[in-house]
């Protein structure tokens, strides 16, 4: 195995129980794991803990599964019942957050609810736009919301829109349009070219394209941030400190003549690695700490801290938006890959959330990062690497968090005095940066009020 | 004292001469002419009025900064009869070594071994780039220096055997007094464990004040205790006296036009260098385009040639195609600029900062000289370093 085991030095295996228990005793104390994703960053982490691999038909304690498998595990027909010592890496209806259309639907609903409650967060400006909750690009479902979309499009006919299939990932099936006729053509083509009936036809979302992204070195990038949720009610989530930026290989141009050049517009590694300028040493990836250094140097500390505070804040809001509808199964935890684009006014936009962020390593650094990500995730989800008991209170001690830091802890927030804490939490939980971002965080606070 | 005075007046004359040719001088002259037309100007109190005007209008600071920046680049005053090559490097054996290391005009590049022609045009040796320090630096010897006890411990300390005057430990202690334990230092005293109220906040506040004052000398003193990330770009610009006037931006645009109009032989070297280094680097790949924007312009900027008056190396000339040998078309090959890209996102500003840094500091890294901040002295100082560390350790414990 070429895995960088040195990166997260393996703890010495626990001493075998002495005497008569023997081999059976040792085996009984070990976590039995299954996975249907054959990635070395996973398997090395399981083996490092001395866990035992079993098949999915045997008794297992820990199953790292794909989203296809989770659907079967929790489907009504199979009726699988997880016992107290079993843990899986997805929530049963994670798609409420991780499907492009459902995420937008839930966020829209969440805004309306806040508005109805008269929450200060739902404040609007004179044009009827949310001051703080406007963090996803305007989005419609197709074909369902076609008329709404046309109405919006006619208001700003020079805008560019991005079409994405709801259920696909890695940039598959995505294209940009800037004319209504292109939608009509797409609709005609998909009707005639496939045999599938109208009802099962693939759903698309169409979103306003962020055509003014922040460029560095003339190129577009997005952020991939990892967020771990251990429970939705109460909400407890963690932010991974080592996110990264993914750069396009080709210089950005807002010109409409390049609308069909995906190397200009899509940052997905799955797309970019086919570009002729793709570099296999760094894979077009830049650490978030580099981004922070660059922004602090060129734009100043206050706006940089404000940007990162806002990013943390919109992630918490997106999780709060789905928390009421999420099946908060106690056997589940989930590590999400958040995609965020920053525009040239340094406003962050939530693009989408992935339930199964890629564990493929495109570079050496990438492998170390993902190995550590899984390592830290397991340390929180499976305390001490011992056989799990899903009834535990799910609040691990600070020492095991590794590169995670608490992003939001609903219980703590409520204990500290309701809503005010909600806003200051992202700023305060930045760990080492907490001291510095607090000052600027406070100025932001007042605007949120 | 007696000796220093003519030196001082020489330096002043030199600087005045240099400033006369600058755009600062033209600006000042223009402003003086317009002010002259005003009725309240009186001949009797002219001198006092001018002094007063300088203070109020900020010209005093501007002139101070200009003089200060000239002082830091101008060569040490030498004997008026000294030939120009002595101005570049007073020691003959150093000059000889520089001839050897003159890796300029590389005719072609073959793997990592460079074929090059020496200054005399006589020999052509394939030389591995990585061998240069060994071949040239280690073999540097002062022919006039005879080390009496050749077997002493000190003679075997380090590879560089040039008897250069370097600072000893008490002198280094004095020179780097800001690194002492009793002085606050950014990067240490702003770490996570230290509350920002103790040092960091105050240091940032002072930094903003220094910037507001636009005082070059103060900025240089200030950064000795570390420069905050958010202020670094402006501080460095102030220290280097780079102000990004409209004419500077225009000059940069002209260089860019030159890049489009003329191809240089060194261009392919630059492309190759950037492709092999920055493009593969996980910090700097993002700035690939900036690097071209700076390096291609830099190789066409003839004003940079001025620094060879005080650099022991001769201009590594390259010529615009078809103009071989014509001095006014001579251009040359520069070092790396990547780390600066983190600080400046406008290419023209990035370019000016880089050029200033090159003609003041960077060139010393690839030329052989007895100058106290050149690479040889650095290496000789490093020999003292282990002793210094032991000393520091001893004071801590």
């Amino acid at each position: 195995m070429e895995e960088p085991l040195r990166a997260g030095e393996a703890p010495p295996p626990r001493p075998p129980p002495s005497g008569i228990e023997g081999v059976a005793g040792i085996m009984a104390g070990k976590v039995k794991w299954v996975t249907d994703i054959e990635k070395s960053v996973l398997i090395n982490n399981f083996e490092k803990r001395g866990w035992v691999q079993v098949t999915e038909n045997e008794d297992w304690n820990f199953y790292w599964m794909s989203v296809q498998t989770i659907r079967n595990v929790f489907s009504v027909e199979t009726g699988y019942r997880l016992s107290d010592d079993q843990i899986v890496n997805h929530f049963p209806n994670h798609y409420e957050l991780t499907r492009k259309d459902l995420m937008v639907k839930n966020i829209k609903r969440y805004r309306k609810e806040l508005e109805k409650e008269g929450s200060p967060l739902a404040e609007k400006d004179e044009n009827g736009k949310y001051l703080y909750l406007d963090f996803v690009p305007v989005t419609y479902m197709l074909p369902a919301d076609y008329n709404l979309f046309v109405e919006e499009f006619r208001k700003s006919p020079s805008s560019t829109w991005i079409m994405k299939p709801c259920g696909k990932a890695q940039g598959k099936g995505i294209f940009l349009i800037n004319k209504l006729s292109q939608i009509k053509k797409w609709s005609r083509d998909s009707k005639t070219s496939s045999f599938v009936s109208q009802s099962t036809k693939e759903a698309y979302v169409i979103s306003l394209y962020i055509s003014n992204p922040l460029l560095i070195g003339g190129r577009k990038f997005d952020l991939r941030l990892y967020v771990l949720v251990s429970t939705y009610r109460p909400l407890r989530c963690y932010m991974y400190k080592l996110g990264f930026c993914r750069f396009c290989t080709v210089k950005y141009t807002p010109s409409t003549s390049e609308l069909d050049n995906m190397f200009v517009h899509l940052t997905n590694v799955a797309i970019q690695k086919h570009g002729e300028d793709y570099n296999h040493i760094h894979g077009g990836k830049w650490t978030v700490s580099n981004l922070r250094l660059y922004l602090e140097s060129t734009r100043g500390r206050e706006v940089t801290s404000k940007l990162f505070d806002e990013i943390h804040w919109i992630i918490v809001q997106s999780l709060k938006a789905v928390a009421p509808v999420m099946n908060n199964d106690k056997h589940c935890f989930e590590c999400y890959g958040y995609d965020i684009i920053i525009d040239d006014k340094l406003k962050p936009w939530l693009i989408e959330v992935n339930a199964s962020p890629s564990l493929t390593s495109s570079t050496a650094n990438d492998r170390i990062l993902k190995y550590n990500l899984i390592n830290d995730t397991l340390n929180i989800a499976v305390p001490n690497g011992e056989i799990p008991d899903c009834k535990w209170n799910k609040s691990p001690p600070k020492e095991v968090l590794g590169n995670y830091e608490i992003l939001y802890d609903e219980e703590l927030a409520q204990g500290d005095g309701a809503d005010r804490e909600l806003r200051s939490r992202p700023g305060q939980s930045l760990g080492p940066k907490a001291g510095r971002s607090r000052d600027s965080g406070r100025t932001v606070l007042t605007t949120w009020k | 004292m007696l000796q220093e005075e003519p030196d001082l007046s020489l330096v002043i004359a030199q600087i005045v001469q240099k400033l006369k040719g600058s755009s600062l001088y033209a600006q000042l002259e223009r402003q003086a002419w317009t002010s002259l037309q005003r009725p309240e100007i009186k001949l009797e109190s002219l001198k006092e009025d001018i002094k007063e005007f300088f203070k109020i209008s900020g010209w005093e600071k501007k002139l101070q900064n200009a003089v200060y920046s000239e002082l830091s680049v101008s060569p040490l005053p030498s004997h008026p009869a000294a030939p120009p090559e002595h101005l570049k490097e007073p020691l003959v054996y150093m000059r000889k070594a520089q001839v050897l290391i003159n890796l300029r005009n590389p005719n072609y590049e073959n793997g990592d071994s460079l074929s090059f022609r020496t200054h005399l045009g006589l020999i052509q040796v394939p030389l591995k780039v990585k061998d240069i320090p060994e071949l040239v630096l280690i073999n540097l010897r002062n022919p006039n220096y005879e080390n009496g006890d050749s077997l002493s411990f000190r003679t075997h300390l380090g590879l560089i055997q040039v008897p250069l005057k370097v600072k000893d430990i008490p002198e280094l202690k004095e020179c780097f007094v800001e690194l002492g334990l009793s002085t606050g230092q950014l990067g240490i005293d702003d770490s996570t464990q230290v509350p920002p109220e103790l040092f960091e906040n105050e240091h940032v506040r002072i930094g903003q004040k220094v910037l507001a004052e636009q005082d070059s000398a103060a900025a240089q003193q200030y950064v000795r205790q570390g420069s905050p990330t958010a202020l670094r770009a402006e501080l460095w610009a102030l220290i280097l006296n780079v102000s990004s006037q409209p004419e500077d931006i225009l000059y940069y645009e002209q260089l860019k036009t030159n890049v489009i109009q003329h191809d240089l032989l060194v261009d392919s070297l630059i492309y190759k260098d950037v492709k092999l280094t920055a493009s593969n680097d996980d910090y700097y790949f993002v700035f690939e385009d900036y690097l071209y924007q700076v390096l291609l312009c830099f190789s066409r900027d003839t004003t940079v040639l001025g620094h060879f008056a005080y650099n022991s190396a001769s201009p590594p000339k390259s010529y615009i195609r078809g103009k071989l040998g014509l001095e006014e078309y001579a251009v040359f090959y520069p070092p790396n600029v990547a780390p600066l890209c983190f600080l400046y996102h406008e290419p023209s500003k990035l370019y000016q900062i880089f050029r200033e840094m090159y003609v003041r500091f960077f060139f010393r890294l690839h030329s052989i000289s007895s100058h106290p901040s050149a690479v040889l002295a650095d290496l000789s100082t490093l020999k003292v370093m282990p002793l210094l560390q032991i000393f520091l350790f001893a004071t801590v414990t």
Side-chain angles (χ1 to χ4, degrees):
Chain A
M1 291 279 159
E2 73 285 28
E3 280 297 328
L5 273 172
R6 263 164 285 121
E9 210 60 64
R14 275 171 293 146
S18 57
I20 33 182
E21 286 164 35
V23 177
I26 298 169
M27 295 301 287
K30 282 184 175 170
V31 174
K32 297 192 269 301
W33 62 272
V34 196
T35 184
D36 59 355
I37 305 174
E38 292 288 319
K39 292 288 179 210
S40 54
V41 291
L42 285 174
I43 294 166
N44 288 340
N45 260 302
F46 300 148
E47 287 176 347
K48 161 189 148 176
R49 286 169 170 73
W51 294 1
V52 184
Q53 183 171 19
V54 294
T55 66
E56 60 172 330
N57 299 320
E58 295 171 78
D59 266 350
W60 50 262
N61 304 115
F62 188 89
Y63 197 157
W64 190 288
M65 54 179 70
S66 62
V67 284
Q68 289 80 20
T69 311
I70 193 80
R71 205 182 304 147
N72 300 332
V73 168
F74 285 103
S75 79
V76 189
E77 299 96 70
T78 47
Y80 198 96
R81 246 186 75 91
L82 296 180
S83 56
D84 281 354
D85 61 357
Q86 289 187 305
I87 286 188
V88 294
N89 65 321
H90 291 291
F91 284 93
N93 57 340
H94 63 86
Y95 45 79
E96 293 286 349
L97 178 65
T98 60
R99 253 185 65 149
K100 300 170 177 86
D101 50 344
L102 294 176
M103 177 189 83
V104 171
K105 197 185 89 188
N106 282 314
I107 288 174
K108 283 180 181 171
R109 197 205 60 244
Y110 174 68
R111 288 174 184 162
K112 288 223 179 73
E113 282 168 7
L114 284 176
E115 211 176 336
K116 227 184 278 167
E117 288 168 20
S119 162
L121 296 181
E123 203 180 317
K124 288 178 169 179
D125 66 7
E126 62 273 16
N127 301 322
K129 278 210 158 185
Y130 288 104
L131 282 175
Y132 317 116
L133 293 172
D134 180 31
F135 57 81
V136 276
V138 178
T139 297
Y140 298 99
M141 322 304 158
L142 287 184
D145 294 342
Y146 180 72
N147 291 336
L148 285 173
F149 161 70
V150 172
E151 200 181 312
E152 185 68 30
F153 185 87
R154 295 231 160 97
K155 277 190 221 159
S156 45
S158 61
S159 52
T160 300
W161 295 73
I162 184 163
M163 290 277 290
K164 300 176 182 177
C166 295
K168 284 189 181 149
Q170 300 189 315
K172 286 184 203 116
I174 294 181
F175 57 95
L176 299 180
I177 64 138
N178 60 346
K179 292 189 194 72
L180 271 185
S181 60
Q182 290 164 305
I183 290 269
K184 288 181 185 135
K185 182 173 180 299
W186 164 77
S187 161
R188 248 193 339 268
D189 288 355
S190 56
K191 260 180 222 160
T192 51
S193 67
S194 67
F195 292 98
V196 281
S197 68
Q198 193 64 24
S199 58
T200 57
K201 208 188 79 178
E202 193 167 30
Y204 263 70
V205 292
I206 188 160
S207 308
L208 188 61
Y209 185 62
I210 310 288
S211 54
N212 60 330
L214 175 68
L215 304 181
I216 297 180
R219 287 186 280 170
K220 180 183 166 174
F221 67 96
D222 76 350
L223 289 178
R224 163 52 62 89
L225 301 171
Y226 298 101
V227 175
L228 174 67
V229 176
S230 56
T231 139
Y232 272 100
R233 289 190 302 276
L235 180 59
R236 189 174 296 131
C237 52
Y238 306 85
M239 170 67 115
Y240 203 62
K241 280 180 270 187
L242 310 177
F244 51 85
C245 312
R246 302 178 298 184
F247 278 81
C248 288
T249 50
V250 179
K251 282 185 86 177
Y252 184 77
T253 162
S255 146
T256 49
S257 62
E258 292 285 347
L259 276 191
D260 50 359
N261 184 349
M262 288 305 135
F263 295 128
V264 175
H265 296 284
L266 297 192
T267 55
N268 307 62
V269 173
I271 298 274
Q272 291 293 338
K273 70 179 177 197
H274 299 297
E276 50 181 284
D277 290 324
Y278 183 77
N279 181 300
H280 288 273
I281 295 173
H282 50 69
K285 287 177 180 171
W286 218 37
T287 61
V288 165
S289 55
N290 272 343
L291 175 70
R292 203 183 179 111
L293 174 65
Y294 174 80
L295 288 177
E296 267 192 25
S297 310
T298 56
R299 309 276 184 137
R301 186 152 106 189
E302 238 156 73
V303 286
T304 307
S305 298
K306 178 167 170 283
L307 168 69
F308 281 93
D309 279 354
E310 276 177 15
I311 290 174
H312 293 168
W313 191 78
I314 64 178
I315 291 173
V316 172
Q317 294 306 308
S318 70
L319 292 170
K320 290 195 136 222
V322 297
V325 295
M326 200 58 89
N327 178 354
N328 189 39
D329 195 299
K330 59 184 188 298
H331 305 92
C332 307
F333 71 94
E334 204 154 31
C335 176
Y336 299 104
Y338 268 77
D339 290 347
I340 284 169
I341 287 186
I342 303 167
D343 71 19
D344 59 6
K345 296 180 187 69
L346 292 193
K347 177 181 164 70
W349 294 92
L350 173 57
I351 301 302
E352 63 175 83
V353 185
N354 294 278
S356 282
S358 161
L359 295 176
T360 312
S361 313
S362 55
T363 67
N365 281 342
D366 213 28
R367 201 201 324 268
I368 295 170
L369 176 123
K370 282 167 181 167
Y371 176 85
N372 287 331
L373 171 70
I374 299 298
N375 187 33
D376 293 343
T377 305
L378 293 181
N379 282 344
I380 293 174
V382 190
N384 304 320
E386 288 164 8
I387 292 192
D389 173 10
C390 67
K391 284 190 223 136
W392 82 297
N393 69 357
K394 295 197 174 183
S395 53
K398 263 206 176 82
E399 302 81 65
V400 307
L401 296 187
N403 284 309
Y404 276 113
E405 50 200 6
I406 297 176
L407 181 58
Y408 185 69
D409 185 330
E410 196 170 9
E411 278 180 334
L412 266 183
Q414 278 166 354
D416 275 21
D419 231 6
R420 208 185 64 79
E421 177 63 15
L422 173 151
R423 285 162 236 155
S424 52
R425 187 113 294 267
Q428 283 184 348
S429 61
L430 296 181
K433 294 277 178 195
R436 21 186 72 194
S437 62
R438 212 175 299 149
D439 286 343
S440 55
R442 206 170 285 145
T443 58
V444 179
L445 273 187
T446 52
T447 59
W448 286 349
K449 199 65 180 171
Chain B
M1 262 300 137
L2 259 171
Q3 219 182 349
E4 268 174 37
E5 266 179 26
D7 281 358
L8 189 64
S9 61
L10 202 70
V11 173
I12 293 174
Q14 243 174 25
I15 289 176
V16 169
Q17 194 59 38
K18 270 222 146 141
L19 287 184
K20 265 191 176 170
S22 70
S23 66
L24 199 70
Y25 182 82
Q27 279 174 33
L28 186 57
E29 200 175 28
R30 214 176 311 131
Q31 209 161 8
W33 276 113
T34 47
S35 309
L36 261 184
Q37 315 301 321
R38 285 198 300 214
E40 67 265 27
I41 300 289
K42 290 189 186 64
L43 213 55
E44 308 84 72
S45 59
L46 190 60
K47 202 169 175 183
E48 291 309 306
D49 285 350
I50 287 177
K51 275 187 189 161
E52 193 57 31
F53 167 77
F54 272 10
K55 270 213 187 88
I56 300 165
S57 60
W59 267 100
E60 194 180 52
K61 277 273 156 53
K62 277 191 201 171
L63 280 176
Q64 265 176 13
N65 289 348
V67 170
Y68 192 73
S69 111
E70 282 305 329
L71 265 178
S72 67
V73 291
S74 66
L76 304 169
S78 54
H79 195 275
E85 66 260 32
H86 283 221
L87 214 64
K88 288 150 113 31
E89 169 56 58
L91 300 175
V92 180
Y93 71 100
M94 290 273 183
R95 288 208 297 271
K96 280 188 179 156
Q98 182 62 48
V99 169
L100 250 182
I101 209 172
N102 253 340
L103 269 178
R104 319 304 174 186
N105 271 335
N107 296 334
Y108 56 90
E109 200 179 343
N110 183 10
D112 61 346
S113 105
L114 275 169
S115 227
F116 68 95
R117 208 179 276 275
T118 67
H119 227 51
L120 307 167
L122 293 176
I123 16 167
Q124 200 155 24
V125 236
L127 184 69
K128 298 249 185 208
V129 174
K130 64 176 168 54
D131 293 338
I132 292 172
E134 279 172 48
L135 282 178
V136 183
L137 298 183
I138 294 171
N139 289 322
L140 261 185
R141 293 282 186 277
N142 184 351
N144 298 326
Y145 182 76
E146 195 59 58
N147 196 346
D149 50 344
S150 55
L151 288 172
S152 86
F153 166 67
R154 294 217 93 180
T155 47
H156 294 285
L157 206 61
L159 289 167
I160 309 297
Q161 298 294 340
V162 187
L164 282 178
K165 167 92 182 101
V166 293
K167 291 189 169 67
D168 59 14
I169 286 172
E171 282 170 325
L172 282 170
K173 255 178 80 182
E174 196 182 329
C175 184
F176 296 108
V177 67
E178 289 82 2
L179 292 178
L181 286 176
S182 53
T183 314
Q185 189 62 242
L186 213 65
I188 295 167
D189 296 304
D190 60 335
S191 69
T192 35
Q193 289 82 22
V194 186
E197 294 78 32
L198 276 184
F199 169 71
E200 193 185 357
N201 290 351
E202 178 66 5
H203 192 62
V204 170
R205 203 185 56 78
I206 296 172
Q208 281 156 347
K209 214 175 147 195
V210 167
L211 285 176
E213 291 284 317
Q214 282 297 302
D215 187 329
S216 190
Q220 188 149 1
Q221 182 55 42
Y222 172 77
V223 297
R224 291 176 72 92
Q225 281 178 268
S227 71
T229 315
L231 306 181
R232 187 171 298 139
E234 285 183 71
L235 282 169
W236 286 10
L238 181 56
I239 291 170
L240 298 169
N241 205 25
V242 165
S243 55
S244 245
Q245 298 293 320
E247 59 264 32
D248 299 319
I249 297 167
L250 191 70
Y251 183 72
Y252 173 73
E253 290 302 323
Q254 282 169 351
L255 289 174
K256 264 179 38 179
T257 321
N258 281 344
V259 174
I260 298 165
Q261 283 172 352
H262 306 287
D263 286 339
L264 296 182
L265 279 174
V266 285
D267 288 358
S268 51
L269 262 185
I270 291 174
Y271 281 119
K272 192 157 187 179
D273 184 28
V274 171
K275 280 266 175 274
L276 282 174
T277 54
S279 300
N280 288 331
D281 187 287
D282 44 5
Y283 278 78
Y284 301 128
F285 75 91
V286 170
F287 302 119
E288 186 179 331
D289 196 63
Y290 282 2
L291 294 179
Y292 293 130
Q293 289 194 52
V294 168
L295 294 179
L296 294 177
C297 289
F298 186 80
S299 64
R300 286 160 177 81
D301 190 345
T302 47
T303 61
V304 184
L305 288 169
H307 93 279
F308 285 107
Y310 50 89
N311 179 358
S312 67
S314 299
K317 277 176 230 156
S318 168
Y319 293 91
I320 291 170
R321 235 163 239 176
K323 311 274 185 185
L324 193 75
L326 299 177
E327 272 309 301
E328 62 268 39
Y329 292 101
V331 288
F332 44 86
Y333 183 66
N336 214 328
V337 58
L340 292 177
C341 296
F342 270 99
L343 293 181
Y344 303 96
H345 58 122
E346 299 150 57
S348 76
K349 184 108 186 215
L350 175 65
Y351 178 73
Q352 291 170 53
I353 295 285
F354 170 69
R355 188 178 65 188
E356 278 306 302
M357 288 206 154
Y358 179 79
V359 299
R360 288 193 191 195
F361 315 114
F362 292 170
F363 76 90
R364 298 207 192 280
L365 294 175
H366 59 82
S367 54
I368 293 181
S369 140
S370 56
H371 191 279
S373 58
V375 70
L376 267 176
D378 280 348
L379 290 173
S380 310
T381 307
L382 283 179
K383 282 207 295 197
V384 192
M385 278 317 202
L387 300 174
L388 186 69
Q389 276 171 359
I390 293 165
F391 168 77
L392 282 175
F393 184 72
T395 51
V396 175
T397 50

